[in-house]
Amino acid sequence: MFGNWRHICVDMQRMFAEDTPWRVAWLEAVSPQVIEVASRHSARTIFSRFCPPARPSDAHGMWRTYYEKWRMMTGEHLPPDMLALVPELARYCPPATLFDKQTYSPWVDGRLHARLAMQAVDTLIITGGETDVCVLATALGGIDLGYRVIVLKDAVCSGADETHDASLTLLGHRFSAQVELLLTEDFLSSDPERDR
């Protein structure tokens, strides 16, 4: 029913779950759904991780300005273990894999698309955070590359309710020919295949 799919779990990291300036309060609420997908389909799961540079001067263009504002979230101030997945998800690696990125989108340097193309993947199941930033970038990039994109709407979250809701509306309406919004339970019950 879903073709040759992979679960892209976006930025479920300690720095977004714990007491940092980037904490996403809703992350805890969607974690059970994300864990359910990752636990049932760990071999099909790719955890993308947002990785800030060591210092603002290591970034280019407007990213340098961005990290001058968020200097406390760069490598010279943020403990390295804060980049790790939340412990509840880290246990699924391996067989799940990690994909580190320096931008909102995981598609910029072509590595992820090349990996998926080698495996003839045609469908992306997207969970994680934030709906209006990295999840949105992951979905839109997937659309551009021709993937069928399925966003599990109860397994994505944001620190801002208004733009979370607006992003789901945008994806579900404006991109309705290329994006599907499903509940986690509906996705899991519709695809009986288990990891082998």
Side-chain angles (χ1 to χ4, degrees):
M1 179 173 184
F2 295 112
N4 185 13
W5 60 271
R6 293 296 180 273
H7 169 216
I8 309 294
C9 181
V10 181
D11 301 355
M12 293 290 285
Q13 296 163 258
R14 289 184 57 198
M15 68 179 174
F16 299 115
E18 298 181 21
D19 187 17
T20 74
W22 286 356
R23 180 176 179 270
V24 179
W26 280 101
L27 191 142
E28 185 177 353
V30 303
S31 288
Q33 293 81 257
V34 176
I35 292 167
E36 192 66 24
V37 177
S39 66
R40 290 199 200 186
H41 298 289
S42 53
R44 290 179 180 261
T45 295
I46 300 168
F47 292 109
S48 67
R49 297 191 306 177
F50 186 73
C51 298
R55 57 196 59 81
S57 61
D58 293 338
H60 67 281
M62 290 304 294
W63 281 107
R64 181 173 296 181
T65 303
Y66 177 83
Y67 284 114
E68 286 168 354
K69 173 182 177 180
W70 297 107
R71 183 177 298 273
M72 76 293 291
M73 298 302 291
T74 60
E76 61 186 347
H77 298 289
L78 190 70
D81 59 355
M82 294 300 280
L83 298 179
L85 297 174
V86 295
E88 298 82 5
L89 292 172
R91 68 182 60 153
Y92 300 112
C93 285
T97 58
L98 296 175
F99 182 84
D100 291 346
K101 59 192 177 74
Q102 286 73 49
T103 58
Y104 301 140
S105 171
W107 308 109
V108 173
D109 64 10
R111 290 178 298 131
L112 181 59
H113 181 51
R115 179 197 296 186
L116 297 176
M118 284 178 51
Q119 300 168 354
V121 171
D122 54 25
T123 301
L124 307 176
I125 311 299
I126 301 177
T127 65
E130 292 188 62
T131 315
D132 45 356
V133 187
C134 294
V135 166
L136 184 62
T138 301
L140 292 177
I143 291 168
D144 280 341
L145 292 166
Y147 292 99
R148 177 185 181 190
V149 174
I150 299 171
V151 176
L152 301 186
K153 60 185 177 180
D154 60 338
V156 293
C157 63
S158 174
D161 292 352
E162 184 177 350
T163 48
H164 163 83
D165 294 343
S167 296
L168 289 179
T169 299
L170 173 72
L171 290 169
H173 293 264
R174 184 75 172 179
F175 297 100
S176 60
Q178 295 159 303
V179 176
E180 298 159 68
L181 302 180
L182 290 180
L183 293 171
T184 302
E185 181 179 353
D186 293 338
F187 165 67
L188 291 172
S189 64
S190 298
D191 190 7
E193 183 179 331
R194 296 284 192 259
D195 285 342
R196 298 175 185 167

